[in-house]
Amino acid sequence: MRRNRSLFPGQLAALSLIIAGCASEPGQMNYLSEPNLPITGRVDKAPESLTADTLGSDVLVYGRLRWIDNGEERTDYRSGWGWNVWLRYFRDYPERSGLFVVEKDGQFTWRIPRGTYTVYQLEWREVSDGMHYLVPKLRFEPPASANAVCLGTLLIDIRSKRDVIGGHWVKNIGIQVDDDCDRLGARFATHYTDNRLVAGKALMRFDAQMQIPRSLQNRNALLGISRALNPNLFMIR
C-alpha cells in the first residue's frame, strides 16, 4: 500500500454559521436540505448513466473520504442540519473554483473537466458549534490516457476535545492518502458499467509549495485570525 503522509496544524476555533438565504438547488427539493452549500461550482456525484460518449472530453475521478475523530470513524458524511463535510477546490487553467461534495458513506465520483486541481480548504460543520476549517494542500491531475481516474482514499485523523458548552476544539490533524484503488476500482465498475471507461490512477498528493490564488486568499483570512488567538491549538503531531 502506497501512502502519502503529511501532518500539519489544523484550525481550530469554531466559527459562526451564517445562512445567507434560501434557494432551490438543481436536482434537489430545497436548498435547506443541505444548508450553507453554494450552487456555483458545486460538484456532486456523477450520474451512473454516464458513458464514454456522454462524458466527452471530461473525466470521472473517484475515491473515498475517511474521517476519524479520537479513534472513532464516521459512517455518515452528509445530513440535513447535522454533521457535513465539503472540499473546496480550484483548477489552475482555465481558472475555476468550487466545492466537491461526497456521498453519505464518504465515497465520491465527480465529473470534471481535465486540468490540475488543488483542494485548498476542507470545511466541516459540527452540530454543536458550527463551521470548522483546515488547509489540506492537496493536488491531483488526471492523466490524458484515462477517462476514469482513482484519486485514492483521503484519511483525516483528528485528535480533539469538547469544552463544557459543547465547543469542538481540534488539537492536531493527520492527513494521508491511501492507495486502495483496486477496491475502489471494483466498486466504481459496478456503478459505471460502460467498458469504454478506461480506469487510471492519479493519487491526490500533498504539495507544501502550493500557491493559493489571491482571489481565494481572503477565504482563509478569518482562519488566520483564529490561529493567532489560539496558538496552543495548532500543534504538529
Side-chain angles (χ1 to χ4, degrees):
M1 176 180 293
R2 177 183 172 184
R3 293 190 174 184
N4 183 5
R5 181 81 174 177
S6 62
L7 300 177
F8 45 84
Q11 161 260 2
L12 283 119
L15 303 178
S16 298
L17 174 63
I18 301 174
I19 305 297
C22 305
S24 296
E25 290 183 50
Q28 300 290 334
M29 292 295 292
N30 193 297
Y31 192 54
L32 285 173
S33 65
E34 287 183 322
N36 206 44
L37 290 183
I39 296 174
T40 303
R42 173 175 170 169
V43 182
D44 283 274
K45 178 184 176 182
E48 294 184 7
S49 59
L50 273 176
T51 66
D53 290 335
T54 57
L55 185 62
S57 60
D58 290 345
V59 61
L60 290 174
V61 296
Y62 61 90
R64 183 187 179 198
L65 172 66
R66 294 180 60 203
W67 188 281
I68 299 174
D69 191 343
N70 291 329
E72 182 176 351
E73 184 167 355
R74 293 202 65 86
T75 58
D76 188 353
Y77 290 76
R78 292 177 67 176
S79 60
W81 289 95
W83 196 94
N84 279 280
V85 61
W86 312 288
L87 297 88
R88 290 196 177 274
Y89 72 87
F90 68 82
R91 187 180 69 214
D92 288 359
Y93 183 81
E95 291 186 4
R96 181 175 176 81
S97 62
L99 184 147
F100 288 133
V101 180
V102 302
E103 300 165 46
K104 285 183 70 67
D105 62 356
Q107 308 279 344
F108 60 82
T109 304
W110 302 316
R111 176 182 181 171
I112 58 174
R114 294 183 184 276
T116 301
Y117 288 79
T118 298
V119 177
Y120 71 93
Q121 185 166 284
L122 188 151
E123 306 174 358
W124 76 98
R125 186 179 67 226
E126 293 284 340
V127 178
S128 59
D129 60 3
M131 296 300 296
H132 296 258
Y133 306 84
L134 65 90
V135 181
K137 293 188 177 181
L138 294 167
R139 281 187 183 271
F140 65 87
E141 182 176 7
S145 58
N147 53 16
V149 176
C150 177
L151 302 183
T153 292
L154 174 60
L155 174 62
I156 308 295
D157 189 359
I158 286 178
R159 295 293 180 268
S160 67
K161 66 177 182 179
R162 293 191 182 275
D163 59 30
V164 294
I165 60 173
H168 191 223
W169 299 89
V170 179
K171 297 186 291 184
N172 49 52
I173 299 174
I175 294 182
Q176 70 186 46
V177 178
D178 289 341
D179 181 356
D180 56 349
C181 286
D182 288 344
R183 184 190 63 78
L184 292 171
R187 180 184 184 276
F188 173 84
T190 65
H191 293 273
Y192 299 84
T193 57
D194 184 355
N195 57 17
R196 294 172 298 168
L197 293 173
V198 180
K201 180 167 64 175
L203 297 182
M204 294 174 279
R205 62 189 185 277
F206 175 67
D207 183 358
Q209 304 304 314
M210 181 191 77
Q211 297 296 315
I212 300 177
R214 185 175 298 276
S215 61
L216 299 175
Q217 289 179 5
N218 289 340
R219 294 184 184 274
N220 293 328
L222 186 56
L223 175 59
I225 294 173
S226 298
R227 286 175 173 160
L229 293 174
N230 299 278
N232 292 331
L233 293 178
F234 302 93
M235 306 185 303
I236 298 177
R237 185 178 62 182

